[in-house]
């Protein structure tokens, strides 16, 4: 473990003014415990193993010192790398995390005047766009292991100048079967480098991986995910497994959440449950490993723009996603590990809000309830189910409706053009328009449900920037 020193502001960590100013813009007033403990060691050049969960501020912990080292190494002439030699390599388990970490790194580099270029590479999308981005040069790559290997093999990336390697959510990467891929990748890296490993847990395979990769690593650990006592937790025991779906419906009907994540243990179950919920009239989205990139973006967008009130998700798919601050979390099956339960439940009750978590369990899951009780050091008496008569009412209708437009950035559409069309003569009010998302060839706009008819007609019947587009309601 590292020293007890716990700096309470970013100036004391040894960060350069460009980064300090950026953190102040982002309203990071104080380092999180993992940042306070790890950043000075990383800046001093140590290898490091950090025990930290999502939400601990771990991304900034590795991103800030990595950026600082690369920025200073550029000397006076600070321009982005032109060739396909990479200096910083960040490996992550999922494509969501790749995008999210790359976005954070880019955001932290905002005061570097473009001197450091960060590119995310991940599977599930065409390799060509990523190759093109890499041809423009990249200082930092955030990558999932499989896609990175493909790119190395096709000579699109050269790793022999890497001076910082980060393994983020290392336990998850190994669980997902990336051990060989990681070992393969590391063989392309120079032995003279700094290696940083972040992992929520320390199973044996992480120990042996770190022994292989690291030299005299410092170890830092912060407390486990806090057990948030302000979250009201209720457990419902099934007398028969066949009642699981109706129990879920009852809970949704009783609480009418505006935003609720329903956790499943497998993607097969998540897919099935999503279909069943839609059939039963609920406004649901789903996130699981079998979705193509575009479907996933659509699902997330509908949930984030409040036109779907339920998100059915697996733990892996929900990991790293910025879907905090839910009204409610429901465990359709209990998590396979009590710590995952704490993590799931912690998605609700953020800040001063009161959280609500309901967990459904059958006879075969009783032992999991016991494990959870041990972790919380309390008992959870199973609660009585709400009245079945609730099932006769219609499900909650989200306040927003998403409309699809078959044009996007390629057609030079901007959010302002869509707002202009919607609010033009006899149009709808500004306050009835929600989130607008413009993709390459399509755009989505959330409007208040009661305004969705006139909004639909406006978009369908009028030209936007001189052109008519096809419009659909997304359900
Ligand atoms: P992470 O654990 O890296 O996923 O970060 C969790 C969230 O905390 C992200 O939204 C960060 O932007 C935010 N964050 C990280 N460090 C700080 C900090 N020192 N102060 C405030 N927010 C932070």
């Amino acid at each position: 473990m590292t020293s007890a020193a716990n700096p309470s502001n970013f100036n004391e960590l040894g960060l350069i003014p460009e980064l300090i100013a950026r953190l102040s813009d982002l309203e990071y007033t104080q380092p999180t415990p993992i940042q306070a403990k790890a950043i000075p060691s990383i800046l001093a050049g140590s290898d490091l193993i950090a025990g930290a969960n999502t939400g601990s501020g771990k991304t900034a912990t590795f991103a800030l010192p990595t950026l600082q080292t690369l920025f200073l190494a550029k000397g006076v002439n600070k321009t982005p790398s032109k060739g396909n030699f990479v200096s910083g390599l960040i490996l992550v388990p999922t494509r969501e995390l790749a995008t999210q970490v790359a976005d954070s790194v880019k955001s932290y580099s905002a005061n570097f005047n473009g001197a450091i270029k960060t590119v995310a590479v991940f599977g599930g999308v065409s390799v060509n766009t990523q190759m093109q981005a890499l041809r423009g040069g990249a200082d930092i790559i955030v990558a999932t292991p499989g896609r990175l290997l493909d790119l190395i093999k096709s000579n699109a990336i050269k790793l022999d100048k890497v001076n910082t390697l980060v393994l983020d959510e290392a336990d998850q990467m190994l669980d997902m079967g990336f051990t060989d891929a990681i070992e393969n990748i590391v063989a392309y890296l120079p032995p003279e480098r700094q290696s940083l490993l972040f992992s929520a847990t320390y199973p044996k395979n992480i120990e042996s991986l770190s022994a292989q990769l690291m030299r005299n690593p410092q170890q830092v650990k912060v407390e486990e995910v806090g057990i948030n006592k302000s979250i009201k937790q209720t457990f419902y025991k099934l007398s028969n497994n066949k009642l699981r779906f109706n129990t879920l419906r009852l809970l949704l009907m009783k609480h009418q959440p505006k935003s609720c994540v329903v956790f499943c243990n497998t993607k097969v179950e998540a897919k099935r449950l999503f279909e069943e919920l839609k059939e039963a009239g609920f406004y649901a989205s789903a996130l699981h490993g079998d979705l193509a990139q575009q479907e996933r973006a659509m699902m997330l967008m509908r949930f984030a723009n409040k036109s779907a009130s339920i998100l059915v998700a697996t733990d892996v798919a929900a990991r790293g996603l910025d879907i905090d601050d839910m009204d409610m979390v429901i465990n359709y099956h209990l998590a396979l590990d009590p710590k995952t339960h704490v993590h799931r439940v912690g998605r609700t009750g953020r800040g001063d809000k009161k959280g609500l978590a309901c967990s459904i369990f059958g006879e075969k899951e009783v032992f999991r309830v016991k494990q959870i009780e041990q972790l919380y050091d309390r008992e959870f008496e199973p609660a009585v189910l709400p009245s079945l008569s609730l099932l006769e009412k219609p499900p909650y209708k989200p306040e927003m409706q998403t409309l699809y437009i078959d044009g996007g950035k390629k057609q030079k559409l901007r959010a302002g053009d869509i707002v202009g069309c919607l609010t033009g003569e006899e149009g709808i009010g500004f306050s009835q328009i929600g989130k607008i998302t413009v993709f390459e060839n399509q755009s989505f706009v959330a409007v208040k449900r009661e305004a969705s008819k006139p909004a639909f007609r406006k978009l369908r019947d009028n030209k936007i920037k001189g052109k008519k587009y096809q419009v659909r309601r997304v359900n």
Side-chain angles (χ1 to χ4, degrees):
M1 298 295 142
T2 44
S3 71
N6 226 345
S8 60
N9 74 56
F10 283 106
N11 289 311
E12 293 171 49
L13 300 183
L15 293 169
I16 53 178
E18 288 85 344
L19 290 173
I20 304 261
R22 181 61 189 147
L23 294 173
S24 155
D25 290 345
L26 292 171
E27 296 177 0
Y28 287 15
T29 48
Q30 209 184 330
T32 65
I34 190 79
Q35 290 163 359
K37 285 184 180 177
I39 290 177
S41 301
I42 304 177
L43 284 175
S46 294
D47 279 5
L48 181 116
I49 301 178
N53 273 307
T54 304
S56 60
K58 65 184 170 63
T59 314
T61 307
F62 58 75
L64 296 170
T66 302
L67 279 168
Q68 174 156 329
T69 308
L70 297 191
F71 185 69
L72 294 180
K74 284 189 182 263
V76 217
N77 186 13
K78 291 187 173 19
T79 51
S81 158
K82 292 249 164 41
N84 51 0
F85 285 104
V86 175
S87 302
L89 174 63
I90 302 169
L91 292 180
V92 296
T94 63
R95 47 191 171 186
E96 290 77 25
L97 199 58
T99 321
Q100 195 185 307
V101 168
D103 286 348
S104 300
V105 175
K106 286 177 198 167
S107 162
Y108 297 140
S109 349
N111 288 342
F112 288 165
N113 296 326
I116 293 196
K117 220 173 130 193
T118 301
V119 174
V121 299
F122 44 84
V125 292
S126 144
V127 78
N128 295 336
T129 333
Q130 293 173 358
M131 281 191 164
Q132 205 176 341
L134 290 168
R135 274 197 284 276
D139 298 280
I140 297 180
I141 300 271
V142 186
T144 53
R147 174 54 59 91
L148 178 64
L149 263 183
D150 295 343
L151 289 165
I152 297 172
K153 286 178 183 155
S154 51
N155 272 328
I157 294 184
K158 293 218 168 28
L159 299 181
D160 26 331
K161 299 242 164 81
V162 167
N163 44 34
T164 310
L165 165 70
V166 180
L167 301 180
D168 188 17
E169 305 207 354
D171 50 351
Q172 186 72 15
M173 283 199 277
L174 299 195
D175 281 353
M176 289 170 73
F178 285 136
T179 314
D180 289 350
I182 293 174
E183 286 174 0
N184 249 314
I185 291 166
V186 170
Y188 289 92
L189 303 179
E192 284 306 317
R193 59 157 199 271
Q194 185 177 30
S195 304
L196 312 171
L197 182 148
F198 287 73
S199 186
T201 57
Y202 278 95
K204 278 262 170 303
N205 55 5
I206 289 285
E207 245 173 65
S208 51
L209 180 72
S210 59
Q212 230 175 304
L213 293 184
M214 319 190 84
R215 282 184 296 187
N216 297 327
Q218 296 260 8
Q219 293 209 12
V220 295
K221 199 170 177 344
V222 289
E223 294 313 309
E224 292 293 332
V225 198
I227 287 180
N228 182 343
K229 297 250 167 70
S230 71
I231 298 170
K232 182 168 189 281
Q233 291 212 51
T234 318
F235 286 69
Y236 295 92
K237 184 164 185 204
L238 302 171
S239 54
N240 177 339
N241 243 325
K242 291 198 179 118
L243 299 175
R244 204 177 284 268
F245 181 62
N246 273 347
T247 303
L248 170 66
R249 283 176 63 204
L250 273 177
L251 294 173
L252 289 169
M253 295 304 294
K254 174 170 183 218
H255 297 288
Q256 305 271 323
K258 289 184 177 151
S259 60
C260 169
V261 188
V262 179
F263 279 105
C264 293
N265 287 340
T266 65
K267 58 185 175 190
V268 176
E269 181 171 74
K271 267 199 252 186
R272 194 179 51 221
L273 186 57
F274 166 60
E275 294 300 335
E276 285 172 348
L277 281 170
K278 273 200 311 189
E279 212 154 286
F282 289 92
Y283 292 76
S285 256
L287 274 191
H288 52 73
D290 274 357
L291 297 174
Q293 178 72 7
Q294 219 178 2
E295 291 175 292
R296 182 176 294 260
M298 285 263 288
M299 292 286 188
L300 266 180
M301 183 199 53
R302 289 186 51 237
F303 189 62
N305 75 13
K306 299 202 174 344
S307 59
S309 55
I310 301 167
L311 180 71
V312 181
T314 57
D315 294 295
V316 173
R319 215 169 159 140
L321 285 175
D322 203 7
I323 49 166
D324 294 339
D325 201 18
M326 303 291 112
D327 292 346
M328 183 179 187
V329 165
I330 300 182
N331 293 308
Y332 193 58
H333 274 281
L334 288 181
L336 303 182
D337 161 4
K339 283 194 191 141
T340 308
H341 177 89
V342 177
H343 204 250
R344 285 179 176 186
V345 163
R347 298 251 181 207
T348 170
R350 294 283 167 114
D352 305 334
K353 293 193 180 163
K354 282 219 165 21
L356 175 66
C358 295
S359 302
I360 306 173
F361 70 101
E363 191 56 46
K364 287 192 180 150
E365 295 163 286
V366 169
F367 78 99
R368 296 199 199 286
V369 180
K370 297 253 166 342
Q371 291 174 333
I372 294 168
E373 287 179 334
Q374 264 176 6
L375 194 67
Y376 283 86
D377 196 21
R378 58 166 284 199
E379 282 184 16
F380 290 107
E381 275 301 313
V384 180
L385 270 179
S387 155
L388 279 173
S389 64
L390 283 176
L391 293 184
E392 286 153 25
K393 292 194 190 154
Y396 169 78
K397 262 194 188 164
E399 61 168 318
M400 308 301 278
Q401 160 81 56
T402 303
L403 302 176
Y404 158 92
I405 304 163
D406 77 332
K409 286 184 192 153
K410 280 241 167 75
Q411 292 72 32
K412 304 221 171 349
L413 275 191
R414 289 169 308 130
D417 304 322
I418 297 170
V419 173
C421 175
L422 284 169
T423 55
E425 209 179 318
E426 288 178 33
I428 65 171
F430 279 106
S431 61
Q432 289 170 308
I433 305 174
K435 237 181 151 140
I436 298 181
T437 318
V438 181
F439 290 117
E440 281 310 293
N441 287 304
Q442 47 190 358
S443 306
F444 297 88
V445 50
V447 294
K448 286 263 165 70
R449 205 161 274 276
E450 69 268 11
S452 81
K453 271 196 186 143
F456 176 83
R457 281 198 297 266
K458 271 300 246 182
L459 293 172
R460 183 195 58 190
D461 299 340
N462 290 285
K463 290 184 174 169
I464 314 177
K465 274 213 168 148
K467 187 175 176 311
K468 270 203 176 178
Y469 290 96
Q470 282 188 23
V471 182
R472 271 195 291 116
R473 288 187 184 82
V474 183
N475 283 315

